[in-house]
Amino acid sequence: MARKPRIHFPGAVYHVMLRGNGGQDIFFSSDDRIRLYLLLQEGVERYGHRIHAVCLMDNHIHLAVQVADIPLSKIIQNLSFRYTRYINTAQTRTGHLFQGRYKAILVDADSYLLQLVRYIHNNPVRAGITTHCGDYQWSSHLAYCGKVCISWLETDWVLGQFAAKSKRARKLYKDFIRQGEKEGRRPEFHHGSLEGRLLGDDSFVQEAFSFAEVKGAAHCSLEQIIKAVSTAYDLNPSSLAEPGRRRDISEARAMAALLVLEADNMTLTELAVVLHRDLSGLSQACGRLRKRLPSDRSLASRLGKIKESLQTPACQA
C-alpha cells in the first residue's frame, strides 16, 4: 500500500524522529553531534523553518519543527542525506545510516507544543541515561535555561507561555520540565491520534486537512497570480508595479513572489520585470515574508485563501 503524503501548511508543527538503521548508533563522537547541530543551523537558514526543541541520543534524534512554506520532507531529506554522507566519509563506510522513512507527527501547537518540548527534553531521563535532563548535554534544554547558546533554536514561543520576563519564564519552565521527569512513554507523540499522522482535536484535524487540500499555483499564469494577490489585498493589480513602500503593496508583492517561487512554470525574474522591481529586493522581501508565516496565522490564512482561489477552473484551465 502506498504511503499517504505528509500534511503540509505554513506554521505546521511536527514531532520528528530519525532512528539509526537497524537500531545502530548514528553518533560516534562529540564532533558528530556538533556536525549535526551545524547542519540543523544551515537548514534553518536555508529553508526558513523553526526548531523548538532537539535531543540527540546515541541511535536516534528527536526534533520539534515548525515549517514555513518549504515542506518538512525536503528539510529532513536534506538533513539526513548530508549527515549520512558525513558519517560514511568519517567512518569509511557505505549504505544507509537512518532507518527507512523518518517518523513525523503533526501536532496542534496550541495544545501540545509545551508538552512535546518537555517530552523531548526528558528523553534521556526516560532512557535511564540521567536523573535530570539538565545533566544531559545534547538537547536544547540547557539553552532554554540560559546556560548555553544555540543561535538557531527558537525558544521565545515556549518561554513566552510562562511569563513575559525571561528570568521568571525560565524558572517556571524548569518547574514544568521537572514535573515531567517521572512521565513515561506517551504513545500519542509517536503514533498520533489519527492515521498515525496527527495529534489534535477534531477542529485541528479538520483545519489541517483543509490546508493540505490547497495545492498551490503550479498551473496558473503570472497574470492570474498577480490578480489573485491584488484581490486578496483589495488592490488594483497595476498598483503592485507602482514605486513606493506602502506596507500593503510591499507585502502583496512579496506574496506574489512566494507564489511564483512555488510554481514550476515561471520565474522570479519574470515577475520582477512585470512589476518593475529589482530581482534581489523582491527575493529578500519574499524571504522576510516566509519567515513570518510560522508565527503569523493571519498571514498564513491569507496565503491559503489566495492558493484556494488559484485552484478555480479558470486558473487551472
Side-chain angles (χ1 to χ4, degrees):
M1 182 182 295
R3 292 188 177 107
K4 294 182 179 180
R6 308 282 186 195
I7 297 175
H8 167 80
F9 56 88
V13 175
Y14 304 86
H15 178 204
V16 178
M17 295 153 277
L18 295 94
R19 298 189 178 277
N21 194 22
Q24 69 176 340
D25 285 352
I26 57 176
F27 299 109
F28 305 92
S29 68
S30 294
D31 286 344
D32 297 342
R33 289 175 164 85
I34 292 171
R35 175 57 66 98
L36 195 282
Y37 271 13
L38 288 173
L39 292 176
L40 287 171
Q41 178 179 352
E42 290 175 6
V44 167
E45 293 171 351
R46 181 175 183 179
Y47 297 121
H49 57 281
R50 297 179 176 184
I51 298 178
H52 293 277
V54 58
C55 184
L56 310 183
M57 305 294 283
D58 287 343
N59 64 358
H60 66 281
I61 300 167
H62 288 268
L63 297 166
V65 180
Q66 184 177 28
V67 299
D69 59 312
I70 302 299
L72 180 70
S73 58
K74 187 169 185 177
I75 295 166
I76 301 303
Q77 286 166 10
N78 180 267
L79 173 68
S80 60
F81 170 77
R82 297 181 69 192
Y83 184 70
T84 297
R85 185 175 59 184
Y86 159 77
I87 287 294
N88 284 352
T89 299
Q91 297 292 317
T92 317
R93 46 157 287 168
T94 59
H96 298 290
L97 178 66
F98 294 104
Q99 177 180 299
R101 199 187 197 204
Y102 66 92
K103 184 75 173 179
I105 305 299
L106 173 63
V107 302
D108 181 352
D110 291 339
S111 301
Y112 288 102
L113 184 54
L114 282 179
Q115 297 176 55
L116 176 59
V117 169
R118 180 170 70 181
Y119 188 75
I120 289 174
H121 287 167
N122 274 321
N123 199 58
V125 178
R126 287 193 304 278
I129 295 174
T130 182
T131 305
H132 305 289
C133 63
D135 298 326
Y136 190 73
Q137 179 181 0
W138 298 107
S139 84
S140 47
H141 171 69
L142 293 177
Y144 272 92
C145 295
K147 295 183 178 180
V148 300
C149 176
I150 302 178
S151 61
W152 44 266
L153 181 72
E154 171 61 47
T155 62
D156 289 348
W157 190 94
V158 169
L159 292 177
Q161 304 305 300
F162 293 102
K165 294 186 177 179
S166 59
K167 185 176 181 179
R168 175 67 174 167
R170 288 193 173 113
K171 179 184 182 304
L172 294 175
Y173 159 80
K174 286 186 280 189
D175 291 342
F176 177 73
I177 293 297
R178 280 193 291 268
Q179 292 168 12
E181 287 180 343
K182 303 299 182 182
E183 185 179 60
R185 187 177 188 273
R186 294 183 58 175
E188 67 270 29
F189 283 135
H190 296 263
H191 307 294
S193 59
L194 180 67
E195 300 182 345
R197 296 191 292 165
L198 297 96
L199 178 59
D201 61 19
D202 290 344
S203 62
F204 170 74
V205 171
Q206 183 177 3
E207 182 180 12
F209 277 114
S210 175
F211 268 114
E213 289 171 358
V214 178
K215 302 300 182 182
H219 303 292
C220 287
S221 68
L222 190 57
E223 292 74 17
Q224 287 168 331
I225 286 179
I226 292 173
K227 181 178 180 181
V229 169
S230 300
T231 300
Y233 283 88
D234 195 23
L235 297 168
N236 188 304
S238 62
S239 65
L240 269 64
E242 294 175 357
R245 296 186 178 182
R246 265 181 51 186
R247 182 170 181 174
D248 56 343
I249 295 177
S250 296
E251 185 176 295
R253 280 194 291 257
M255 185 71 78
L258 190 153
L259 290 165
V260 166
L261 286 175
E262 287 187 358
D264 56 11
N265 61 332
M266 62 193 80
T267 67
L268 197 60
T269 299
E270 293 174 297
L271 179 66
V273 170
V274 170
L275 298 185
H276 308 299
R277 311 302 295 184
D278 176 71
L279 178 61
S280 175
L282 202 58
S283 177
Q284 291 174 12
C286 178
R288 290 191 293 271
L289 187 79
R290 179 182 289 135
K291 288 181 179 179
R292 287 173 52 199
L293 281 169
S295 59
D296 191 331
R297 285 198 168 188
S298 176
L299 185 65
S301 177
R302 175 171 279 175
L303 174 60
K305 290 177 180 178
I306 295 173
K307 286 185 175 182
E308 189 174 4
S309 73
L310 290 169
Q311 292 297 307
T312 61
C315 280
Q316 299 303 310

